[in-house]
Amino acid sequence: MMSSNISGISTLVHIGAGQATELENWVNQGFASIVLIEPHPVLANQLRLRSRKFPQVKVVESAITERAELSELYDYTISGLASLRQPTGLKQIFPGLQLAQRYTVVTCRLAQIVNHYGPSPEQKAHLIIAAAGEEADLVDALLQSDQLERFLSISLKASIEPLYEGAEPASQLVKRLEDAGYELKSTQAIDSDWGEW
């Protein structure tokens, strides 16, 4: 992660924050505002408890989706795979995958989050998209909005091949961001099925 002082970035917005394992690192980098968005109620509560000592951190318990009909979060027997969407390709990788819990969650659109929590047009931000199955809709919503210029940089955590209903390969999403003027700085394999761009 880049230093906010070097890059001029003061705000970090993390969609699908999960456990936000890098939270202390981000705080130490000097971000003036850190917005952690997590729909899973257990994880969101853990984030609220962890971030109480950091006044610049805001935890938003919500799923970010452009589809209002998606309001149930499916949590599976393998942690870290929860999604608003059915695990079509995921079941091919993990044939024994079972639904562990289903949560009715609050949802909102990307534009609502940006309008309510920032960054403002004067701020510059880094956006992390780690919303399993929602990546394509979120990238498209960002590219079609007037809010794109607020994000100097974007980290995309996504599956290499589509693993959820309606998902797209990460390569297509990276290409759309490059076509919009972003330059690919690094690629990191999380495992054989997931990566970060």
Side-chain angles (χ1 to χ4, degrees):
M1 186 75 179
M2 80 294 292
S3 166
S4 59
N5 296 331
I6 294 173
S7 67
I9 294 175
S10 63
T11 302
L12 183 141
V13 179
H14 191 332
I15 299 173
Q19 296 180 1
T21 55
E22 295 180 292
L23 177 59
E24 285 76 11
N25 184 37
W26 297 331
V27 169
N28 291 335
Q29 288 182 33
F31 286 102
S33 175
I34 299 172
V35 182
L36 303 176
I37 305 159
E38 174 55 48
H40 195 292
V42 175
L43 294 177
N45 189 53
Q46 291 172 355
L47 288 175
R48 279 191 290 271
L49 293 173
R50 277 184 59 213
S51 64
R52 282 191 300 199
K53 60 185 175 183
F54 305 124
Q56 69 271 49
V57 177
K58 173 69 176 173
V59 177
V60 181
E61 187 175 332
S62 179
I64 310 305
T65 180
E66 298 304 304
R67 298 174 189 243
E69 72 274 11
L70 299 178
S71 62
E72 287 194 311
L73 183 71
Y74 302 99
D75 194 10
Y76 299 99
T77 48
I78 300 173
S79 66
L81 300 178
S83 178
L84 299 173
R85 298 180 185 242
Q86 295 298 315
T88 49
L90 201 58
K91 284 202 169 186
Q92 295 174 358
I93 298 171
F94 303 110
L97 186 72
Q98 297 292 317
L99 180 66
Q101 184 77 38
R102 184 183 305 200
Y103 300 97
T104 299
V105 294
V106 173
T107 63
C108 63
R109 294 177 182 269
L110 180 59
Q112 292 172 298
I113 285 292
V114 173
N115 289 335
H116 192 75
Y117 297 102
S120 69
E122 300 79 37
Q123 296 171 318
K124 294 302 178 187
H126 177 71
L127 174 65
I128 301 172
I129 298 174
E134 295 304 304
E135 307 95 341
D137 281 359
L138 295 180
V139 166
D140 288 343
L142 184 64
L143 295 177
Q144 294 165 12
S145 75
D146 60 354
Q147 300 164 338
L148 183 64
E149 66 274 2
R150 297 185 192 189
F151 296 101
L152 285 182
S153 59
I154 298 172
S155 291
L156 175 67
K157 295 181 181 181
S159 57
I160 295 167
E161 295 298 326
L163 299 181
Y164 297 90
E165 183 179 35
E168 295 183 31
S171 59
Q172 292 180 11
L173 307 181
V174 171
K175 174 76 165 68
R176 291 212 282 280
L177 289 168
E178 288 178 321
D179 290 346
Y182 286 93
E183 179 184 345
L184 181 61
K185 294 287 188 179
S186 67
T187 302
Q188 178 181 345
I190 297 172
D191 60 35
S192 59
D193 300 306
W194 296 85
E196 181 175 356
W197 292 265

